[in-house]
């Protein structure tokens, strides 16, 4: 099955700096890579996703890059703000086949943005 | 759009009792819903995949007789934790996929905190 590794486990930055979180996956059949933000006591919120037919996607201060050859993808947050502080999870899925698009999650990164 | 709700948001029960958690898609129909469990400071672990009108598919190591899943309609799936024990205490999260939508995008509920005394 799929295995997703996420680094770093914790990340501390100053407000205004950039933050980068990296994930690697093992299954070359995976073709969907979402990123989720989870605040304490809440469910995950989809913040951006990328599919295997593109290498980069951007939405305001958030961007995701995908390197299919190396099987890794990264989340980039620019101009960080204190409200960006949360746990971020990457995930991978194969939307086709018999897996019903099951998501395999990374271990999570605790991002802290200091004012 | 694409809002998923869960009820209750938190529940405390005595050991040996059963607890039912509801997952509803509020503004869309969901042929597939997923149930996850998340222990403190850990990632989400998929427990089972629930398809409307058919039996749920459980992940390896998840006891289907202990975690009963029913997906009776296109907007509701329920998870019943039977004979709950303290080790079942966890954060249970459901997600739903839009019927006829992309096969990959899942929308998550707010989670249910279960505490078994």
């Amino acid at each position: 099955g799929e295995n997703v590794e996420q680094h770093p486990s914790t990340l501390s930055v100053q407000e205004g700096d950039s933050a980068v979180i990296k994930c690697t996956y093992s299954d070359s059949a995976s073709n969907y890579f979402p990123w989720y933000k989870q605040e304490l006591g809440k469910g995950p919120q989809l913040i951006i996703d990328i599919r295997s037919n593109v290498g980069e996607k951007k939405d305001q201060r958030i961007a995701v890059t995908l390197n299919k050859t190396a099987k890794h993808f990264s989340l980039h947050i620019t101009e960080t703000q204190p409200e960006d502080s949360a746990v971020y999870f990457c995930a991978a899925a194969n939307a086709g086949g018999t897996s019903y698009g099951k998501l395999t999650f990374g271990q999570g990164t605790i991002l802290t943005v200091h004012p | 759009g694409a809002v998923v709700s869960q009820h209750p948001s938190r529940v405390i029960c005595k050991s040996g009792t059963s607890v039912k958690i509801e997952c509803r898609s509020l503004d869309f129909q969901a042929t597939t819903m997923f149930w996850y469990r998340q222990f403190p400071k850990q990632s989400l672990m998929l427990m089972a995949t629930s398809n409307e009108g058919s039996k749920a598919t459980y992940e390896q190591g998840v006891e289907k007789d202990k975690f009963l899943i029913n997906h009776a309609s296109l907007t509701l799936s329920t998870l019943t934790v039977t004979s709950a024990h303290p080790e079942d205490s966890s954060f249970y999260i459901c997600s739903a996929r839009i019927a006829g939508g992309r096969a990959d995008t899942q929308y998550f509920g707010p989670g249910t905190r279960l505490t078994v005394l």
Side-chain angles (χ1 to χ4, degrees), chain B residues 96-107:
Chain B
R97 198 161 61 203
I98 298 175
R102 296 195 69 104
D104 46 29
T105 307
Q106 295 182 28
Y107 299 92

Side-chain angles (χ1 to χ4, degrees), chain A residues 82-109:
Chain A
E83 49 266 40
D84 293 330
S85 297
V87 182
Y88 290 81
F89 291 98
C90 63
N94 177 3
T98 59
S99 64
Y100 300 103
K102 292 193 302 184
L103 292 171
T104 301
F105 283 84
Q107 296 84 352
T109 297

Side-chain angles (χ1 to χ4, degrees), chain A:
Chain A
E2 175 65 276
N3 182 52
V4 178
E5 296 288 333
Q6 182 172 346
H7 298 280
S9 57
T10 61
L11 180 58
S12 184
V13 300
Q14 289 295 127
E15 182 177 2
D17 288 349
S18 295
V20 180
I21 303 172
K22 299 182 179 182
C23 288
T24 59
Y25 62 99
S26 62
D27 189 351
S28 56
S30 290
N31 51 21
Y32 176 62
F33 308 93
W35 285 90
Y36 294 89
K37 175 183 181 182
Q38 186 178 30
E39 297 178 336
L40 191 62
K42 298 183 179 180
Q45 176 190 4
L46 178 68
I47 56 173
I48 196 167
D49 57 11
I50 192 167
R51 294 177 174 87
S52 58
N53 57 343
V54 298
E56 184 174 357
K57 184 176 178 180
K58 189 174 182 180
D59 182 4
Q60 299 182 356
R61 296 186 297 109
I62 295 173
V64 58
T65 59
L66 171 65
N67 183 326
K68 287 179 58 181
T69 303
K71 295 183 189 168
H72 66 71
F73 55 113
S74 301
L75 176 71
H76 304 254
I77 305 175
T78 59
E79 300 173 27
T80 54
Q81 302 166 2
E83 49 266 40
D84 293 330
S85 297
V87 182
Y88 290 81
F89 291 98
C90 63
N94 177 3
T98 59
S99 64
Y100 300 103
K102 292 193 302 184
L103 292 171
T104 301
F105 283 84
Q107 296 84 352
T109 297
I110 302 173
L111 174 64
T112 304
V113 181
H114 298 282

Side-chain angles (χ1 to χ4, degrees), chain B residues 61-84:
Chain B
V62 178
E63 301 175 57
K64 61 180 181 180
D65 294 331
K66 180 170 183 62
F67 299 99
L68 301 179
I69 292 172
N70 184 285
H71 193 160
S73 78
L74 287 172
T75 59
L76 173 65
S77 176
T78 60
L79 168 68
T80 301
V81 183
T82 62
S83 187

